């Protein structure tokens, strides 16, 4: 029956005593009344003691009591104690979390719904020049770079944005926003100054080496041509050696030209003009046709007359590379189709061949610099491995995308998707 049983038993005992005493003395009702008053008075006293204890926090040892009140005190005391222990654990965890985020080398800022600063770590205070008083300030008022404001407003946080530190423009930061919870966002910034420096050094090195190789190559080619002219054909070994040397110098020349083009694409400012793509494609196909044997056919379909804002030389180079590959990597008696058309989202150049195709594992890698499939290397098919890297860069500079569909033994389709916003006619 538990504690309630005990209470009821005590009351029943009192009732029994009153009934017996009341029966003998004839004072049953007055005694009954007295019992009720006593019970009520006891409860009032207990309630006031309980109220006094709980209003002091209820965590100190409770006053001694009997019956149901002892139990009540015990349960409330236990709940309070557990709560205190949980609070202590939680605040310890928060402290540890704060300490670890404070020690992070990357800057972290918690942003509220209106882009206001809720919290920032030490690195964030250092690289963004934030102070304790900036809590609650809107971040666009403190980091005013237009590219950052655009990134913040775009609400598309798949990518990141690169900006200089507002306190020291020599520090380059890669800023990324990670949304979490209800409208909250975490702004993370990584110092990529060293990375940018290394990238710059790599670009400068490639540009300088390629540039320096041009003169010796031209001299070599010149002498080689003179020697070939002097060759009387008496020694097949000599003739063959000249041919090999000529082939290799030409290959090297292509490599140097492609590397210089890639460097230009990475470093030069764009100068956009309205480019007549149908005319450009017709010209490129004609050049391709002239080079190809009669059996090889290029089929050009101009479904759209769209011109686009772009760099004509760069586009020519990209399209020539794609057409060159389609011709190079498909049998002589198959068709290579070029299709210029517009769909709901973009204007597209698709180049389709019925060649050997590319394996699934190679597709994601063919646009990497110097990547050539093992088969091509083994078969010694001519090429620098830089063509598709050039195509990718040119398309990136035109906000366009390169899509590759290919099946081994059936053929490939390389398509360039330009956004409709760059159509100029
Ligand atoms: P490469 O100078 O070797 O042609 P690219 O960068 O133009 O260099 O191409 C990289 C690799 O992609 C090629 O070596 C080849 O394996 C593959 N590739 C490119 N275009 C095609 C195509 N149309 N059909 C089959 N394979 C292709």
């Amino acid at each position: 029956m538990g504690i309630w049983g005990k209470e009821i038993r005590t009351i029943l005992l009192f009732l029994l005593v009153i009934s017996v005493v009341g029966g003998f003395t004839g004072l049953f009702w007055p005694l009954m009344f007295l019992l009720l008053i006593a019970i009520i008075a006891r409860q009032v006293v207990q309630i006031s003691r309980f109220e006094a204890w709980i209003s002091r926090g209820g965590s100190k040892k409770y006053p001694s009591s009997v019956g149901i009140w002892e139990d009540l005190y015990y349960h409330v005391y236990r709940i309070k104690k557990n709560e205190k222990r949980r609070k202590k654990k939680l605040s310890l965890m928060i402290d540890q979390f704060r300490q670890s985020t404070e020690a992070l080398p990357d800057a972290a800022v918690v942003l509220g719904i209106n882009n206001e600063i809720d919290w920032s770590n030490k690195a964030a205070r250092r690289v963004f020049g934030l102070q304790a008083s900036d809590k609650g300030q809107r971040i666009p008022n403190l980091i005013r770079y237009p590219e950052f404001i655009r990134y913040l407003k775009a609400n598309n946080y798949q990518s990141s944005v690169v900006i200089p530190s507002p306190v020291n423009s020599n520090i380059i930061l890669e800023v990324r926003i990670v949304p979490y919870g209800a409208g909250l966002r975490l702004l993370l910034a990584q110092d990529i100054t060293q990375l940018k420096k290394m990238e710059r050094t790599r670009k400068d090195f490639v540009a300088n080496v390629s540039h320096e190789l041009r003169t010796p190559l031209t001299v070599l080619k010149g002498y080689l041509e003179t020697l070939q002219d002097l060759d009387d054909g008496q020694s097949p070994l000599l003739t063959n050696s000249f041919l090999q040397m000529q082939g290799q110098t030409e290959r090297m020349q292509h490599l140097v030209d492609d590397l210089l083009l890639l460097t230009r694409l990475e470093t030069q400012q764009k100068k956009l003009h309205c480019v007549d793509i149908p005319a450009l494609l017709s010209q490129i196909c004609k050049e391709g046709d002239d080079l190809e044997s009669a059996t090889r056919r290029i089929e050009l379909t101009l479904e759209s007359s769209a011109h686009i804002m772009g760099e004509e030389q760069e586009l020519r180079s990209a399209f020539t590379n794609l057409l060159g590959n389609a011709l190079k990597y498909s049998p002589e008696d198959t068709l290579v189709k070029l299709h210029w058309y517009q769909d709901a989202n973009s204007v597209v150049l698709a180049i389709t061949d019925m060649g050997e195709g590319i394996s699934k594992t190679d597709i994601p890698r063919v646009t990497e610099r110097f990547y050539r499939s093992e088969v091509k290397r083994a078969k010694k098919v001519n090429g620098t491995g830089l063509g598709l890297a050039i195509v990718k860069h040119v398309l990136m500079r035109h906000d366009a995308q390169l899509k590759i569909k290919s099946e081994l033994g059936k053929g490939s389709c390389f398509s360039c998707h330009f956004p409709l916003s760059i159509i100029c006619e």
Side-chain angles (χ1 to χ4, degrees):
M1 237 193 178
I3 195 74
W4 278 108
K6 250 174 152 181
E7 287 281 313
I8 291 166
R9 257 204 323 269
T10 316
I11 292 171
L12 285 176
L13 197 71
F14 272 111
L15 276 175
L16 189 72
V17 172
I18 285 173
S19 311
V20 174
V21 177
F24 281 117
T25 58
L27 293 172
F28 177 77
W29 286 114
L31 283 174
M32 199 58 189
F33 180 69
L34 273 178
L35 176 66
L36 267 177
I37 295 287
I39 291 174
I40 291 170
R42 180 178 167 247
Q43 297 306 329
V44 169
V45 168
Q46 289 292 7
I47 288 171
S48 79
R49 280 174 76 197
F50 186 78
E51 195 271 336
W53 175 71
I54 206 98
S55 63
R56 284 196 303 274
S59 51
K60 293 223 172 69
K61 190 72 187 143
Y62 49 87
S64 68
S65 194
V66 285
I68 190 79
W69 285 100
E70 169 84 29
D71 241 42
L72 263 177
Y73 274 118
Y74 171 72
H75 286 310
V76 174
Y77 177 71
R78 206 171 44 113
I79 290 169
K80 284 273 179 190
K81 212 166 172 185
N82 282 345
E83 195 184 313
K84 203 171 156 188
R85 207 176 301 138
R86 255 204 317 274
K87 260 190 190 161
K88 213 169 162 183
K89 213 166 142 188
L90 205 68
S91 79
L92 202 79
M93 269 168 70
I94 292 175
D95 268 0
Q96 277 174 351
F97 174 74
R98 286 249 156 111
Q99 274 171 21
S100 55
T101 42
E102 274 290 301
L104 272 181
D106 292 347
V109 183
V110 173
L111 297 177
I113 287 175
N114 297 314
N115 292 326
E116 72 279 12
I117 300 173
D118 266 356
W119 175 85
S120 58
N121 70 351
K122 201 164 148 191
R125 294 195 289 278
R126 183 169 45 82
V127 294
F128 291 129
L130 300 179
Q131 282 158 11
S133 56
D134 289 330
K135 188 169 187 280
Q137 283 264 17
R138 292 186 69 247
I139 197 97
N141 296 341
L142 302 168
I143 307 174
R144 292 168 178 267
Y145 295 108
E147 54 271 49
F148 173 72
I149 310 267
R150 265 199 302 276
Y151 174 68
L152 196 65
K153 277 191 185 155
N155 250 330
N156 173 14
Y157 303 130
Q158 304 287 336
S159 59
S160 56
V161 62
V162 175
I163 54 166
S165 151
V167 281
N168 179 356
S169 56
N170 289 327
I171 298 178
I172 311 291
L173 301 170
E174 182 177 14
V175 179
R176 176 180 292 277
I177 289 182
V178 185
Y180 73 98
L184 297 177
R185 277 158 302 160
L186 181 67
L187 181 149
L188 296 169
Q190 192 184 10
D191 185 343
I192 54 162
T193 318
Q194 283 308 319
L195 211 74
K196 283 276 164 196
K197 256 190 201 155
M198 271 161 59
E199 206 178 299
R200 176 92 256 155
T201 315
R202 176 192 61 82
K203 279 181 193 166
D204 287 351
F205 176 76
V206 173
N208 289 338
V209 169
S210 320
H211 199 76
E212 290 303 320
L213 280 172
R214 281 177 94 177
T215 321
L217 260 175
T218 317
V219 175
L220 269 176
K221 259 182 87 181
Y223 278 122
L224 205 58
E225 273 164 25
T226 316
L227 287 172
Q228 272 178 313
D229 286 346
L230 293 176
D231 180 22
D232 53 11
Q234 293 297 311
S235 160
L237 178 68
L238 212 61
T239 312
N240 192 31
S241 304
F242 284 146
L243 275 175
Q244 293 270 342
M245 283 158 83
Q246 191 196 18
Q248 290 306 319
T249 33
E250 263 166 22
R251 194 168 120 71
M252 220 158 148
Q253 182 98 50
H254 281 140
L255 254 172
V256 169
D257 288 347
D258 280 358
L259 280 173
L260 281 172
L261 178 57
L262 263 173
T263 308
R264 270 206 305 279
L265 290 173
E266 280 180 336
T267 51
Q268 250 177 26
Q269 286 283 328
K270 291 183 280 187
K271 285 195 200 94
L272 302 180
H273 304 280
C274 193
V275 184
D276 181 348
I277 300 292
L280 179 66
L281 289 174
S282 307
Q283 209 179 351
I284 290 172
C285 288
K286 190 161 180 321
E287 287 161 11
D289 252 340
D290 288 347
L291 289 174
E292 288 308 307
S293 63
T295 46
R296 179 73 57 78
R297 297 283 311 279
I298 300 172
E299 188 184 279
L300 173 64
T301 312
L302 295 169
E303 203 178 293
S304 161
S305 60
H307 296 192
I308 61 171
M309 285 305 287
E311 275 261 17
E312 181 159 352
Q313 274 317 314
E314 290 182 13
L315 291 170
R316 171 189 291 277
S317 166
F319 298 162
T320 311
N321 264 311
L322 289 175
L323 178 61
N325 278 350
L327 294 170
K328 191 162 65 172
Y329 298 119
S330 60
E332 302 241 325
D333 53 353
T334 57
L335 218 56
V336 168
K337 294 179 185 170
L338 281 84
H339 190 189
W340 178 240
Y341 65 94
Q342 189 171 328
D343 64 19
N345 308 311
S346 46
V347 55
V348 185
L349 170 67
I351 300 184
T352 316
D353 65 59
M354 292 179 237
E356 54 203 84
I358 309 168
S359 74
K360 272 201 173 67
T361 47
D362 275 342
I363 290 179
R365 302 202 58 194
V366 287
T367 54
E368 285 172 21
R369 283 171 196 207
F370 296 112
Y371 190 83
R372 309 194 65 214
S373 79
E374 285 307 316
V375 190
K376 307 290 150 32
R377 283 184 203 277
K379 282 188 184 167
K380 295 204 166 49
V381 178
N382 268 342
T384 60
L386 291 171
L388 290 180
I390 291 173
V391 174
K392 196 173 102 177
H393 258 83
V394 169
L395 294 188
M396 247 163 58
R397 276 161 70 87
H398 289 80
D399 298 322
Q401 253 190 320
L402 176 69
K403 292 187 184 167
I404 308 171
K405 278 191 203 147
S406 189
E407 212 176 312
L408 274 179
K410 291 204 169 154
S412 314
C413 175
F414 286 75
S415 53
C416 314
H417 298 249
F418 296 89
L420 295 177
S421 56
I422 65 168
I423 293 182
C424 50
E425 204 175 284

